[in-house]
Amino acid sequence: MTTRHFLTLLDLTPDELNKLIHRAVELKQIRNSGEIYEPLKNQVLAMIFEKSSTRTRVSFEAGMAQFGGHALFLSSRDTQLGRGEPIEDSAKVISSMCDAVMIRTFEHETVTSFAANSKVPVINALTDDYHPCQLLADMQTFLEHRGDIKGKTVSWIGDGNNMCHSYINAARQFDFKLQIACPEGFDPDPELVATNSDRVTIFRTPEEAVQGSHLIVTDVWASMGQEEEQKEREQAFAGYQVTTELLDQADESAIFMHCLPAHRGEEVSAEMMDDPRSVVFDEAENRLHAQKALLEFLLIK
Ligand code: CP
Ligand code: NVA
């Protein structure tokens, strides 16, 4: 059997993704019922972090422990990766000792090179270009709150960044319409937009992008690695804050998501974060359940 990886949402078929999301809902119920379910006993997940993380680290580490396995935290600061050992050599070594590898890094090419040299499944836990694990949690959260997302309208407000790119892939794989609002100069990858032009539309104001929308999503204006652009971005994104008033202009059933960490008063108002339409903490918890479903899919089949 060939090794499956999860580097973008396109690595799984729409049918596989849908089953995975439904399985995540079941795994949540299993955990909430107190049932012990340890399908990954003695298995080890290596977790390589070249950027900071709270949710990703905790959810993968807790998920492996709950599954009866083990997770190994590898910071680039303390491994030979941080001292220039080639990614290809690291992939051969780490994948010879572990059962799966999760990587959070800068260039997307790092995860593709790692996967090309790995004997075991590789999971993209965020690159500069994509954050597919977050989308599994987001899709599970929408399903739990509002049912199937197929045919619905989603609005992305803010930077055309890694999360926005994964939303474009999600629009294709889960079959929804995506209305993006971003200032000029902060558009998502034009090739990705062109490939998905049947589902994706770009607007220049948040008000236009939320019309008829069932899910409003945003993210920080300066991603990890762009810290020095913070001030310039605050100016460019003025008027793009997601507020309760903005949600009032969307469909009456609209809910709000943010992958977190959030900057209250920048991309989202404090009031919006605490509004009943905000499901951001369910979304964060679902990282655990959705990634357990992913680990099960990649490791037990
Ligand atoms: N949303 C997300 O990936 O959070 P962390 O950066 O805390 O892992
Ligand atoms: N776009 C953000 C997501 C953080 C989870 C970043 O890359 O920093």
Side-chain angles (χ1 to χ4, degrees), residues 126 131 161-162 219-220 223-224 259-260:
L126 184 146
H131 194 6
N161 64 11
N162 46 9
D219 185 14
V220 291
S223 285
M224 289 182 277
C259 64
L260 306 182

Side-chain angles (χ1 to χ4, degrees), residues 53-56 104 131 134 259-260 287:
S53 167
T54 297
R55 280 144 289 269
T56 304
R104 168 167 286 197
H131 194 6
Q134 183 67 52
C259 64
L260 306 182
R287 292 293 302 278

